[in-house]
Every structure is written in structure tokens, then in C-alpha cells.
């Protein structure tokens, strides 16, 4: 994966288990302010330790950074806008830097070790010391309880980096060693300790046993020291306060140690925070000088992040930028589209109802449970624009649209090449037309029947008005329309204005609302597609789309759909 994040706040969105947290983990590992004794095999792709892994970052650093204090000088690279390049030398011999940057790298070896290096323009590498990583170490709020660690005096924690008292451990350990633990024992316990000392002497082991507070490898006495704060007149450990307070406290501590190149990582910003606190934190991160990387599943956080750059991680693990006016409108209208594993943008509300019902049959489980979001694109033009904006980021979204008299063939063709079978479009015409034209003559009356019983009369009346009939009885309408009944139904269902009735345009266009121009109408069409045994006629067109959606949520292909 290669990523060029923006300055300021980067909001990373996407469905569950697509890799959002892994991105933050990679950044945190590269700038880790402590030396890990080992790296787990789960950090290796496919748990194949023999393949190793490499994490690189190209960053700019201030002139007074510790990278200039390495045993061997670390030389900057030039940044050409896309990648680091070897600095050029002009005719006068002076270095001509565009924007000096440094190339940092951590390698996970097959032996489960970590190697930190600074890559030099001459092809060599220098060790990246812990001191430099401590200077660059990001402020991090993970989705686990790591923030509790930052409230304690653990080596490398935010509190440890803030206080930076290198001799405190030895001084405190000496004081703790002076504590007379034996005096606190009961008489029976003292006798037992004395008997143990005698037993040691018999076996030629060290004697004069005593008890003292000691540390051990991997167990630090200092970790017992943590921040406390007063609550309701009582001094309480900060680690015992609410999750939201602990996270914000850890962030406040870490901010005190940020240098001139601050980096902030927040995983699941909504964890433990009420919506108003989410909005406040998003606002703070968006206005700070830090380059922040935030993951979220919160619509409130997305709505509040007006000054952020939105990134989406799709089900293939690709990350792409969400930008443009169309995306901005969708973020306000339906932010959950960017919190799903796979979003399918439909042309209108009828298509939303139809596609939802079809995919429910294809998956056999609620769409929300599978991480699928069906989105109302709000019309042909806006749907095309939104899908184009999403595709520009190299992301995989689904689409379901009509063919509006062959409009924008070049633009749609590019989208079809990009999205493949995830984009479904009728070869010609609209959804209602493609379904109704398959209905047998003998089933047209059943098509008119509204399962809820509310719209049947209004549908018959819309046909009555278009025919100029005195009756709205189906038999009368059928006889009067003759061979044109099917076309008449299509015109009423799509809101076509009869010739000579332009002055009553709104009235005739509203007829579509009595037919299928609604969420329930789209669902009704999908159900009648199967109930009237029309599915075999459309299976070859619709099944590939359904299977592409199934693939997007890691489900195998199916041979058929039943509803």
C-alpha cells in the first residue's frame, strides 16, 4: 500500500475489518517511543514471518530535530511531490532542494526482530535511535486500553515522556527497598519466614532472608505509579474514571510533549465519548498544528469534520480520497454510506427498494449485518457524479441505475470499466419499464394490485384519466385501452405527461407516486418479479451484479436467487 496523506486532520472511514486500524498501527510502530522486545507473528502478512515486512515514511523535520545529532549525518532527500528523489546540484555547486524530507524505515525480520533505519540518498542506511523516535513519537489513543498505560509511569508512556526524569526510577527503587515489610507481617508469618531461612541454611542457600519491594524483568514497580485526581473531594486514580475522560486525559498529557512535528493517532474516536465530546475533539484536532490520523464509525464525527480530508478504505484494502461537492453532499445526507463495508449507490428511491429486496434474497441475511449500505443517489445526474467522485479515489462502490435516453455514454462507459459487475445499468429504459414489459397480458391486473391495498384505486384512476374513461373498473379500462394497456401503465408508472396535457404536467407526473416511485414501490416490483416468475428472463442480467456484491462482503458466488 502507498498513501499520500494530507496535512491536518485525516479521517479514515470504511467498514469493519478492512484495515483502518492496521494503518494507524503501522504509523505507531514506525515511530514507537520504546524498544519492543519482539514483534508478534500476527504483524506479518498471512503470518508468514519468512517474508518479513517493511514500513516506510517520508517526512519533513525541523532544523533542530535530533536527526541532525546522529553519529553519522542523515542527509535529506528532495520531494518532487510524489516521491523522494536524490538532491540535485546546480552549476554553482550549491544544493538545490525543493522540499527537504527524510526517509525513515522499520523492517520486521524473519526472526521477529525490528530494525529501525534512516535511508540515505547515497543508498546507505543509518540506525534510527530511540531518542529520535521519542521526539517523533505520536500522540496515540487506540481503541483498546492503551490510554490507561499512558496515565501510568510505564517506560515510553506519555506520562514518562512528559516528566522525563531519568533518575526517578533509581531514586524511588532505593526508597522502596528501605521499606520494612517484615514489620508489617503477623507473628505467624514472621515465624514462617524465620523457618524458611533455617531451611535455606541447611541446604547451603543464602540466609538472613527479608522481604523488600523489588522489580523484575518485564514487571516495573514504577508502573504502579499513576496520576490521581480529585473527584467529589476524594483523590482517585485517573485510571478509575470513565473511558472518555481517560482518553481525553491521555491526549492532554501527550500534547505537552509534542515537538515541532506533532503526529496524532486516534482509533475509533467515538469510543467512550458522547457526540458533543466527539464534535469538540474533532474540532480541536482539525484546528491544531498536528497531522492527525483518525478512524471512526460515528456519523456525528464525520459531520463535524468539515476541515478534514476524508479517506475511505474499501473491501479490497485500498485507500482513496473522498473529495468533491458530490461527496460533501452525501457526507451530510447519508454519512453511513462511508461507514459500510460496501455501499451501493442507486439512482433513486425506487431503485433503492428494488436493489435492497433483490440483495436480501441474494445474501439471505439483513444487508446491515453484512456491512452493505444501499444509498439513494437522488437522480440520474447526481448518481453519476457521486459514483465518478468515488471512483476517482480508486475505490470499489456499487451502482444501480437506469439508461436515461443514452445520456453521458462516455462517462458511464468509464465507470463500467472501473467498477465492472458492481455497476448495474439497464441496457435501455428504466426499472419500471424493464419489469412491466415482461408482465404477461393475463397478469396486468395483478400488477396493478397494491399488496397493501392502499394504491390500487389510485392506480386505476390514473389510467382512467389518461384514457378519458367514465369508469375505473379494470375490465372497462382494459377494453378501452386494448393493445395499448401495457404502454399506458408504463406511462402512468413513470409519470409521462400525455400529449396536449402540458398545462397539467405536475398532476400527471405525480401519478408515478401512486405506482412504484417510492421505497415500497421498488420492493413491490422486486417481489412481483419473482412471484410472477419473471426472474428467469432477467437472471443473466441481475445475478452477476448480486454476486459482485456478495464478493464484496467475502461471500461465495451463488447460482440462483429465490425470494
Amino acid at each position: 500500500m502507498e498513501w499520500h496523506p494530507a496535512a491536518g486532520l485525516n479521517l479514515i472511514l470504511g467498514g469493519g475489518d478492512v484495515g483502518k486500524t492496521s494503518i494507524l498501527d503501522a504509523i505507531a510502530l514506525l515511530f514507537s517511543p520504546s524498544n519492543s522486545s519482539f514483534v508478534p507473528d500476527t504483524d506479518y502478512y498471512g503470518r508468514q514471518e519468512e517474508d518479513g515486512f517493511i514500513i516506510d515514511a517520508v517526512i519533513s523535520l525541523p532544523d533542530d530535530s535530533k536527526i541532525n545529532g546522529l553519529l553519522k549525518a542523515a542527509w535529506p532527500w528532495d520531494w518532487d511531490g510524489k516521491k523522494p528523489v536524490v538532491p540535485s546540484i546546480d552549476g554553482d555547486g550549491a544544493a538545490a532542494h525543493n522540499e527537504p524530507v527524510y526517509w525513515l524505515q522499520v523492517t520486521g525480520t524473519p526472526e521477529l526482530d525490528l530494525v529501525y533505519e534512516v535511508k540515505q540518498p547515497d543508498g546507505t542506511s543509518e540506525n534510527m535511535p530511540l531518542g529520535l523516535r521519542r521526539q517523533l513519537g505520536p500522540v496515540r489513543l487506540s481503541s483498546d486500553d492503551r490510554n490507561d498505560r499512558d496515565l501510568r509511569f510505564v517506560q515510553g508512556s506519555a506520562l514518562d515522556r512528559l516528566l522525563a526524569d531519568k533518575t526517578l526510577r533509581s531514586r524511588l527503587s532505593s526508597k522502596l527497598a528501605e521499606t520494612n515489610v517484615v514489620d508489617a507481617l503477623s507473628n505467624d508469618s514472621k515465624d514462617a519466614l524465620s523457618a524458611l531461612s533455617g531451611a535455606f541454611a541447611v541446604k547451603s542457600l543464602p540466609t538472613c532472608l527479608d522481604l523488600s519491594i523489588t522489580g523484575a524483568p518485564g514487571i516495573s514497580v514504577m508502573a504502579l505509579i499513576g496520576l490521581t485526581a480529585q473527584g467529589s473531594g476524594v483523590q482517585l486514580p485517573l485510571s478509575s474514571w470513565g473511558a472518555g475522560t481517560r482518553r481525553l486525559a491521555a491526549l492532554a498529557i501527550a500534547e505537552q510533549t509534542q515537538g515541532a512535528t506533532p503526529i496524532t493517532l486516534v482509533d475509533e474516536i467515538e469510543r467512550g465519548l458522547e457526540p458533543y465530546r466527539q464534535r469538540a475533539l474533532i474540532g480541536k484536532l482539525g484546528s491544531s498544528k498536528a497531522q492527525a490520523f483518525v478512524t471512526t464509525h460515528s456519523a456525528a464525527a464525520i459531520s463535524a469534520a468539515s476541515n478534514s480530508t476524508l479517506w475511505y478504505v474499501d473491501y479490497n484494502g485500498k485507500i482513496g480520497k473522498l473529495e468533491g461537492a458530490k461527496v460533501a453532499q452525501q457526507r451530510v445526507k447519508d454519512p453511513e454510506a462511508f461507514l459500510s463495508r460496501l455501499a451501493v449507490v442507486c439512482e433513486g428511491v425506487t431503485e433503492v427498494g428494488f436493489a435492497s429486496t433483490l440483495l436480501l434474497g441474494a445474501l439471505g441475511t439483513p444487508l446491515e449485518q453484512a456491512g452493505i449500505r444501499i444509498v439513494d443517489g437522488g437522480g440520474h445526474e447526481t448518481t453519476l457524479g457521486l459514483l465518478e467522485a468515488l471512483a476517482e479515489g480508486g475505490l470499489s462502490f456499487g451502482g444501480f441505475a437506469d439508461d436515461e435516453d443514452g445520456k453521458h455514454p462516455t462517462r458511464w462507459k468509464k465507470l463500467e470499466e472501473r467498477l465492472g459487475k458492481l455497476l448495474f445499468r439497464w441496457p435501455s429504459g428504466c426499472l419500471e419499464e424493464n419489469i412491466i414489459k415482461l408482465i404477461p397480458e393475463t397478469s396486468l391486473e395483478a400488477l396493478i394490485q397494491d399488496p397493501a391495498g392502499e394504491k390500487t384505486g389510485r392506480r386505476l384512476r390514473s389510467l382512467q384519466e389518461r384514457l378519458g374513461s367514465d369508469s375505473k373498473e379494470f375490465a372497462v379500462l382494459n377494453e378501452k385501452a386494448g393493445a395499448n394497456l401495457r404502454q399506458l401503465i408504463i406511462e402512468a408508472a413513470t409519470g409521462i405527461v400525455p400529449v396536449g396535457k402540458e398545462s397539467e404536467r405536475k398532476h400527471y407526473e405525480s401519478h408515478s407516486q401512486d405506482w412504484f416511485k417510492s421505497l415500497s414501490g421498488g420492493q413491490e416490483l422486486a417481489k412481483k418479479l419473482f412471484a410472477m416468475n419473471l426472474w428467469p428472463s432477467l437472471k443473466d442480467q441481475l445475478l452477476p451484479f448480486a454476486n459482485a456484491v456478495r464478493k464484496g462482503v467475502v461471500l461465495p458466488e451463488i447460482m440462483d436467487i429465490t425470494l
Side-chain angles (χ1 to χ4, degrees), residues 468-495:
S469 172
D470 295 331
S471 171
K472 68 173 186 177
E473 294 295 326
F474 177 77
V476 176
L477 297 175
N478 188 25
E479 181 179 357
K480 189 173 181 64
N484 293 325
L485 180 60
R486 182 193 309 279
Q487 183 59 33
L488 191 69
I489 292 175
I490 291 175
E491 291 177 3
T494 55

Side-chain angles (χ1 to χ4, degrees), residues 22-33 116 133 137-138 140 146 265:
S22 295
I23 294 173
L24 301 191
D25 287 344
I27 298 173
L29 185 61
L30 178 60
F31 298 114
S32 174
Y116 288 90
R133 284 186 277 124
R140 188 184 187 195
R146 177 187 167 83
L265 309 174

Side-chain angles (χ1 to χ4, degrees), residues 362-396:
L363 270 70
T365 184
L367 303 188
E368 294 82 1
Q369 185 174 316
I372 297 172
R373 181 72 175 179
I374 308 297
V375 179
D376 181 1
H380 187 82
E381 299 288 339
T382 55
T383 297
L384 175 58
L386 177 57
L387 283 171
E388 286 177 327
L390 297 174
E392 283 177 7
L395 303 170
S396 294

Side-chain angles (χ1 to χ4, degrees), residues 66 134 153 160 163-171:
K66 291 186 178 181
R134 283 203 168 200
F153 211 89
D160 176 45
L163 300 181
D165 190 335
K166 296 181 179 179
T167 64
L168 178 60
R169 280 182 173 77
S170 61
R171 298 200 314 270

Side-chain angles (χ1 to χ4, degrees), residues 56-73:
D56 295 288
V58 178
I59 67 173
S60 59
L61 292 173
D63 294 336
D64 60 350
S65 71
K66 291 186 178 181
I67 199 167
N68 294 320
L70 301 182
L71 293 177
K72 183 177 179 181

Side-chain angles (χ1 to χ4, degrees), residues 296-356:
T296 185
H297 300 101
S298 167
I302 296 176
S303 300
S306 56
N307 294 326
S308 69
T309 301
L310 292 185
W311 301 89
Y312 183 86
V313 183
D314 68 14
Y315 68 88
N316 288 316
K318 295 180 181 178
I319 187 168
K321 186 183 293 186
L322 299 174
E323 58 183 345
K326 302 295 184 184
V327 172
Q329 293 170 10
Q330 187 62 36
R331 178 169 69 173
V332 175
K333 178 183 175 183
D334 184 11
E336 286 191 38
F338 307 121
L339 299 175
S340 60
R341 189 175 182 87
L342 176 65
V344 179
V345 183
C346 294
E347 180 170 318
V349 65
T350 307
E351 287 74 18
V352 169
F354 183 88
S356 298

Side-chain angles (χ1 to χ4, degrees), residues 218-275:
I219 302 175
S220 173
V221 174
M222 301 297 290
L224 298 175
I225 300 174
L227 281 179
T228 64
Q230 193 173 87
S232 302
V234 179
Q235 203 73 12
L236 296 171
L238 210 57
S239 58
S240 69
W241 292 55
T245 298
R246 298 199 309 272
R247 298 194 91 200
L248 294 177
L251 178 62
I253 296 169
E255 284 176 340
Q256 305 304 309
T257 66
Q258 284 190 321
T261 54
I263 298 174
T264 300
L265 309 174
V266 183
D267 195 14
E268 297 182 7
I269 194 170
E270 66 276 8
R271 185 175 181 271
L273 297 179
E274 300 80 3

